[in-house]
Amino acid sequence: MSSVRATLRRAGVVTALAATGLLAAAGIASAHVTVHPESYAKGATDGVLTFRVPNEEDGAGTTKVQVFLPTDHPVLGVLVSPQDGWTAKVTNTKLKKPVKTDDGTITDAVSEITWTGGRIDPGHYADFNVAFGQLPDDTDQLVFKTLQTYSDGKTARWIEQPAQGDEEPESPAPALKLTAKGADSGADTGASGTTPLPESSKSAASTGSTASASDSTARGLGVAGLVVGVLGLAAAGFALARGRNGGARPE
């Protein structure tokens, strides 16, 4: 029976390590600030960007969120959706290079949006919706550096350039991929590359939802962990049954 016990111990260790690693990966996947959808067509008009801010601290709430919009490739016609409990401050900046549009030449654009007054509790997230009139068509990606301030004074700086490969930086900034016009993107852009504005009730319902539901990758990893655990236990049970049969007296 000593070999059976050893097999059980090995199976238990493998299962525990696999589950721990997968749960840790799931936590990392859902921790940073992200922008949704993940992509839009270049030059898309009349759409919405949703900045999802999870709270990864155990003993402090998020009390301030600052999103910085690029001015070298500006987002035009920015409007901030009202958010219960939060006050939004919009900062405009004069553009170094004015943008010509069908409605005239644009000389300034929104460079920063700061939300204060609200709170995101530990284990929760909030969605902040920002409507736009037009996205740039002269770049492949927009990076929105973000600062997340907690009630204990700590600030998470989501400002690192997103990696091009599989490896992700420790504190990545939210990034929006801009695809060629007419290409399939993460947003339901249709033929004209537009997305209708969401109803205000949808925005309010998203606020304060639990972080465990915010990341499909985390859910997938959790399911994988359960599968590994079940396989480990099944292998251990088979070894135990074989050990017992081998040690039984013949009739």
Side-chain angles (χ1 to χ4, degrees), residues 20-31 211 215 217-222:
T20 300
L22 288 168
L23 288 175
I28 294 172
S30 61
D215 197 290
T217 302
R219 290 196 297 269
L221 289 172

Side-chain angles (χ1 to χ4, degrees), residues 32-35 49 51-53 64-73 75 89 110-115 128 130 141-149 155-162 169 171-176:
H32 56 266
V33 178
T34 53
V35 62
L49 299 175
F51 294 93
R52 177 158 294 178
V53 183
K64 183 179 181 180
V65 177
Q66 295 169 270
V67 175
F68 298 88
L69 284 69
T71 55
D72 52 346
H73 302 286
V75 179
K89 178 183 178 183
V110 173
S111 59
E112 178 185 346
I113 306 173
T114 301
W115 287 273
F128 297 88
V130 176
Q141 180 177 251
L142 294 177
V143 177
F144 302 93
K145 295 182 179 181
T146 302
L147 301 181
Q148 181 180 6
T149 303
T155 298
R157 300 171 60 84
W158 308 105
I159 60 175
E160 294 182 311
Q161 188 77 14
S171 301
L176 178 71

Side-chain angles (χ1 to χ4, degrees), residues 109-144:
V110 173
S111 59
E112 178 185 346
I113 306 173
T114 301
W115 287 273
T116 56
R119 181 183 177 91
I120 306 172
D121 291 325
H124 291 71
Y125 73 84
D127 284 344
F128 297 88
N129 292 326
V130 176
F132 63 82
Q134 183 175 333
L135 295 178
D137 59 4
D138 57 352
T139 184
D140 296 327
Q141 180 177 251
L142 294 177
V143 177
F144 302 93

